[in-house]
């Protein structure tokens, strides 16, 4: 702070001083005062402030875990849609194989009918099966295109843009894990659970901060400056103190 006081009088009688030898008047001044000063106030011990700082740290950790959980949810959704699209493509491959088999059986039935080995009803039955397999293939192809559209929406690809799935996922059985192992892994790795735990810790510290307001606090106060009649004709002054505040 910088203070400049010009024509500043002091009334001594207001402070209980009067009758000083050589000072006939009880009013001194007016005179000019120049004062520039730096102040420092440092908390030495404040349990409420300490608890509030810890609560803020836990809130920050909770927010970070919540942000990471949102990213994990996006990754899980996109990966699930990709796997569903791969499964739909695999159904198309299976349906194409079944169609080829039905076509071969229909051709065989037609050849047997021409040879007089089977009746015409067998040819009709094989043709019905062939058309059913063909309809199933068309259904799976449409489902595959729907899965690709859902994947494109999730990723942000324009719906009119054509793309194909290049990565395949081979089947691998899940590792055998007990219920206790699954729960322990979830508690350790799930971001939503960790975010909730951090939020709970933040509330606990906030409660301690409220309770800590009843406790005394200690602070260090200091100032250092330059005091005089004017700039260049002054002297360095300072003061220090320790304060104890009891609610």
């Amino acid at each position: 702070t910088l203070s400049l006081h010009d024509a500043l009088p002091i009334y001594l009688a207001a402070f209980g001083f009067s009758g000083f030898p050589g000072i006939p008047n009880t009013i001194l001044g007016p005179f000019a005062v120049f004062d520039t000063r730096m102040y420092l106030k440092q908390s030495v011990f404040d349990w409420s402030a300490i608890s509030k700082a810890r609560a803020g740290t836990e809130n920050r950790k909770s927010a970070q875990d919540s942000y990471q959980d949102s990213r994990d949810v996006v990754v899980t959704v996109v990966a699930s849609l990709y796997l569903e699209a791969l499964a739909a493509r695999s159904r198309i491959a299976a349906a194409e194989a079944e169609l080829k088999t039905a076509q071969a059986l229909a051709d065989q039935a037609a050849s047997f009918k021409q040879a007089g080995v089977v009746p015409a009803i067998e040819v009709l039955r094989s043709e019905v099966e062939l058309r059913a397999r063909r309809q199933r293939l068309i259904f799976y192809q449409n489902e595959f295109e729907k899965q690709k559209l859902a994947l494109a929406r999730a990723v942000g690809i324009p719906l009119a843009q054509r793309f194909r799935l290049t990565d395949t996922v081979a089947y691998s059985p899940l590792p055998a894990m007990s219920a206790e192992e699954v729960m322990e892994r979830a508690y350790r790795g799930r971001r939503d659970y960790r975010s909730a735990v951090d939020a709970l810790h933040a509330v606990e510290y906030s409660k301690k901060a409220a309770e800590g307001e009843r406790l005394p606090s200690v602070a260090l106060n200091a100032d250092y400056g330059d005091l005089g009649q004017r700039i260049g004709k002054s002297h360095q002054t300072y003061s220090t103190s320790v304060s104890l505040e009891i609610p």
Side-chain angles (χ1 to χ4, degrees), residues 82 85-86 89 144-145 148 151 157 161-167:
Y82 192 88
L86 288 180
R89 189 175 64 178
F144 177 58
E145 294 300 326
K148 289 178 65 177
L151 178 61
I157 299 177
Q161 181 175 339
R162 305 292 297 176
F163 67 95
R164 60 189 180 89
L165 307 181
T166 58
D167 296 337

Side-chain angles (χ1 to χ4, degrees), residues 67 131-132 194 198 208:
Y67 168 75
R131 292 176 182 177
R194 291 169 57 181
D198 294 335
K208 292 181 180 180

Side-chain angles (χ1 to χ4, degrees), residues 21-22 31 120 122-123 131 137 157 171 181 219 240:
F31 51 87
E122 293 296 333
V123 177
R131 292 176 182 177
L137 176 60
I157 299 177
Y171 171 77
E181 293 174 342
T240 59

Side-chain angles (χ1 to χ4, degrees), residues 5-237:
H5 301 284
D6 190 14
L8 176 67
I10 297 179
Y11 184 38
L12 295 179
F15 298 95
F17 302 108
S18 62
F20 286 100
I23 304 178
N25 300 324
T26 58
I27 298 178
L28 298 181
F31 51 87
V33 175
F34 163 79
D35 186 16
T36 178
R37 193 161 304 278
M38 294 186 299
Y39 294 91
L40 169 66
K41 183 176 181 181
Q42 175 64 46
S43 176
V44 178
F45 175 79
D46 189 341
W47 182 250
S48 177
I50 293 174
S51 299
K52 289 179 180 179
R54 292 176 177 176
T57 301
E58 294 297 328
N59 281 325
R60 178 179 58 83
K61 291 169 58 180
S62 177
Q64 290 176 345
D65 288 334
S66 179
Y67 168 75
Q68 188 62 41
D69 176 62
S70 300
R71 292 178 60 90
D72 292 343
V73 169
V74 173
V75 172
T76 301
V77 169
V78 174
S80 298
L81 292 175
Y82 192 88
L83 292 177
E84 290 177 2
L86 288 180
R89 189 175 64 178
S90 299
R91 296 188 187 98
I92 292 177
E96 290 175 346
E98 293 175 352
L99 178 61
K100 291 180 180 180
T101 302
Q103 183 66 55
L105 292 176
D107 295 341
Q108 184 182 44
S111 300
F112 285 169
K113 178 181 177 297
Q114 292 179 359
V117 178
V118 296
I121 189 65
E122 293 296 333
V123 177
L124 180 60
R125 184 181 296 109
S126 62
E127 290 179 353
V128 170
E129 181 68 19
L130 177 61
R131 292 176 182 177
R133 296 298 179 183
R134 186 176 291 114
Q135 290 295 328
R136 178 171 296 184
L137 176 60
I138 295 174
F139 172 79
Y140 285 148
Q141 289 174 343
N142 292 334
E143 288 297 314
F144 177 58
E145 294 300 326
K146 292 180 182 178
Q147 294 294 339
K148 289 178 65 177
L149 287 176
L151 178 61
R153 291 192 183 99
V155 177
I157 299 177
L159 300 182
Q161 181 175 339
R162 305 292 297 176
F163 67 95
R164 60 189 180 89
L165 307 181
T166 58
D167 296 337
T168 59
V169 180
Y171 171 77
S172 60
L174 295 176
M177 300 178 65
S178 63
E180 291 77 10
E181 293 174 342
V182 173
M183 295 297 294
E184 192 275 333
R185 182 176 181 180
Y187 290 147
R188 184 179 66 254
R190 290 199 54 147
R191 296 284 183 169
D192 52 350
Y193 173 78
R194 291 169 57 181
S195 176
V197 171
D198 294 335
L200 177 60
H201 292 166
V203 174
E204 292 174 347
Y205 282 123
S206 297
K207 179 175 178 291
K208 292 181 180 180
E211 295 173 346
E213 293 179 356
R214 300 177 298 178
L215 301 177
S217 60
V218 181
L220 172 65
N221 303 284
D223 68 87
Y224 181 84
D226 206 29
L227 176 64
Q229 293 181 352
R230 60 182 180 274
I231 298 177
K233 190 177 181 180
S234 58
H235 193 276
Q236 297 175 354
T237 60

